[in-house]
Amino acid sequence: MKEKLQALRAKALDELSAITSSDDLSKALEEFKVKYLGKKSELVAVMKGMGALSPEERPIMGQLANEVRGDIEAAFSEAREKAQKADLERKLIEETIDVTLPGKSSPMGRPHPISAVQTEIENIFIGLGFEIVDGPEVEYDYYNFTALNIPPDHPARDTQDTFYINSNVLLRTQTSSVQIHAMEKKRPPIRMISPGRVYRSDAIDATHSPMFHQIEGLVVDKGITMGDLKGTLELFSQNLFGEDTKIRFRPHHFPFTEPSAEVDVSCFACGGKGCRLCKGEGWIEILGAGMVHPDVLRRCDIDPDEYSGFAFGLGIERVVMKKYNIDDLRLLYENDVRFLSQF
Ligand code: DAH
């Protein structure tokens, strides 16, 4: 038995030293532990034979067996510690990060020119004390047309080719519909703008798109005059296009305003002398405006003898195209970053 135990120790230590240089260390060490120190190990098997020994031999062999076990355990712990250390060192070398390397930069995005101009216009009106309101893009005929003095069969409907969802519901053709919502919900004083998408059944070309953006403006209070409209639009234009900008009103017709006007700004490229941008005119048309028609006020339960108001509507794409000298509307919707990143 003595020889058996000593041979076992020698074999175990031999095997252990072979393991330290093997590849999958933790697995090999685990297998070693089961084989030499586990419940079904050879050592346990040898120790089971102790019962057959004489009472004198038994404690001697017992002591030897314990020694052998202790030696194997000590060698095993040492090997495991060594393996763990080596593993840590390998990881530290493999996973070294060079903090001095330049980082990967991701290119910074920017707002689309339509959003940028919309935000700029919003900020100007916020500065003038206006509130920004939202309106539905899917709209009742009443809000888009009838309440704005455009009853069925009115010729103004023909100029705004409409996407109908059914005979009563449509995609709004103008943000003017939000005027009605605002006046139904709120009592004067009202001072609001409403930006958003509008839809018209137009074929796409350099100046038309079935979807585009407008900003509607509405002010209703006691004693509002055309002078307020002019002053507001002048301030707005100077803020957007430059301090020297002048505005000009040309008589026009819109069913929901009376009187109505088309409003031009002096060309911000040539200062009014005439150039390619303003087609030699010196002026650029940017919006429609007027005094809110008494019938429109009345329909929203606002007494036109007590209150008056002005309204205006502006196409955002048109302003973007003039401001950045873009001659084809389609460029704004193709989302080619090489084009958009110029602005
Ligand atoms: N909604 C008109 C359009 O799309 C623009 C407009 C004109 C709006 C005059 C107004 C206004 O509020 O007073 O052509």
Side-chain angles (χ1 to χ4, degrees):
M1 176 165 280
K2 189 177 168 194
E3 290 75 37
K4 253 189 185 171
L5 283 169
Q6 280 166 342
L8 188 59
R9 171 165 53 192
K11 194 173 141 209
L13 297 184
D14 260 9
E15 213 167 287
L16 193 61
S17 61
I19 283 175
T20 20
S21 54
S22 91
D23 270 346
D24 194 348
L25 270 182
S26 59
K27 188 171 165 224
L29 284 172
E30 205 45 50
E31 281 168 7
F32 175 88
K33 192 176 168 192
V34 172
K35 186 169 170 192
Y36 288 102
L37 298 166
K39 279 189 205 128
K40 290 179 185 162
S41 61
E42 277 180 62
L43 185 62
V44 171
V46 175
M47 282 160 91
K48 273 185 186 150
M50 300 256 277
L53 294 176
S54 65
E56 299 81 39
E57 264 184 320
R58 218 176 282 159
I60 301 169
M61 283 307 133
Q63 196 185 353
L64 180 62
N66 281 338
E67 262 174 46
V68 167
R69 185 183 182 88
D71 288 351
I72 296 174
E73 269 174 358
F76 172 76
S77 308
E78 197 184 319
R80 189 170 53 183
E81 216 167 280
K82 240 194 209 163
Q84 283 168 345
K85 231 191 215 164
D87 198 38
L88 180 66
E89 262 159 40
R90 181 185 51 78
K91 270 195 185 148
L92 282 174
I93 289 166
E94 270 177 15
E95 297 172 12
T96 304
I97 295 170
D98 182 352
V99 293
T100 64
L101 280 175
K104 283 183 196 146
S105 67
S106 41
M108 189 72 159
R110 72 183 80 200
H112 189 282
I114 293 177
S115 305
V117 167
Q118 179 180 320
T119 306
E120 202 181 341
I121 294 175
E122 285 175 3
N123 287 336
I124 294 171
F125 280 104
I126 288 170
L128 292 172
F130 284 59
E131 129 183 64
I132 296 174
V133 303
D134 222 2
E137 291 175 26
V138 179
E139 186 55 283
Y140 288 111
D141 178 291
Y142 176 78
Y143 289 91
N144 194 79
F145 288 131
T146 308
L148 292 162
N149 285 343
I150 312 172
D153 303 324
H154 191 286
R157 293 201 179 208
D158 298 340
T159 63
Q160 300 190 1
D161 273 334
T162 309
F163 289 113
Y164 281 94
I165 287 165
N166 59 42
S167 60
N168 198 25
V169 180
L170 45 78
L171 295 183
R172 68 177 178 191
T173 60
Q174 50 186 355
T175 46
S176 302
S177 53
V178 190
Q179 288 187 30
I180 308 301
H181 288 291
M183 288 189 281
E184 280 184 353
K185 275 194 210 102
K186 287 187 63 163
R187 298 292 86 193
I190 295 169
R191 229 182 279 126
M192 66 99 179
I193 61 163
S194 184
R197 295 190 187 96
V198 299
Y199 301 86
R200 291 185 194 180
S201 174
D202 283 328
I204 303 176
D205 63 25
T207 55
H208 292 85
S209 160
M211 186 283 299
F212 58 102
H213 299 75
Q214 288 187 335
I215 295 187
E216 193 75 13
L218 175 71
V219 170
V220 182
D221 202 352
K222 285 180 180 156
I224 297 292
T225 69
M226 203 137 177
D228 297 310
L229 171 61
K230 266 194 124 165
T232 304
L233 291 182
E234 191 171 64
L235 260 175
F236 159 68
S237 303
Q238 288 168 348
N239 266 287
L240 190 61
F241 297 114
E243 264 179 44
D244 298 329
T245 308
K246 294 181 184 57
I247 59 167
R248 168 175 95 168
F249 277 47
R250 282 180 289 105
H252 199 75
H253 171 76
F254 295 106
F256 41 93
T257 43
E258 180 57 37
S260 304
E262 273 188 335
V263 180
D264 303 337
V265 292
S266 55
C267 179
F268 40 84
C270 65
K273 285 191 222 69
C275 67
R276 262 188 56 189
L277 189 72
C278 59
K279 300 204 176 81
E281 295 272 322
W283 297 93
I284 296 170
E285 184 211 318
I286 57 155
L287 50 79
M291 301 307 290
V292 181
H293 196 292
D295 286 348
V296 175
L297 292 175
R298 225 172 265 126
R299 227 170 260 125
C300 300
D301 217 12
I302 294 173
D303 181 359
D305 292 329
E306 196 180 344
Y307 292 101
S308 55
F310 67 75
F312 57 89
L314 152 161
I316 301 181
E317 277 82 349
R318 203 183 148 68
V319 173
V320 171
M321 287 170 77
K322 289 294 178 191
K323 205 173 148 92
Y324 298 120
N325 205 355
I326 298 166
D327 56 11
D328 194 327
L329 181 62
R330 288 167 288 200
L331 291 165
L332 291 175
Y333 302 125
E334 278 162 5
N335 285 340
D336 184 332
V337 174
R338 289 169 303 176
F339 171 76
L340 293 175
S341 60
Q342 300 175 88
F343 307 105

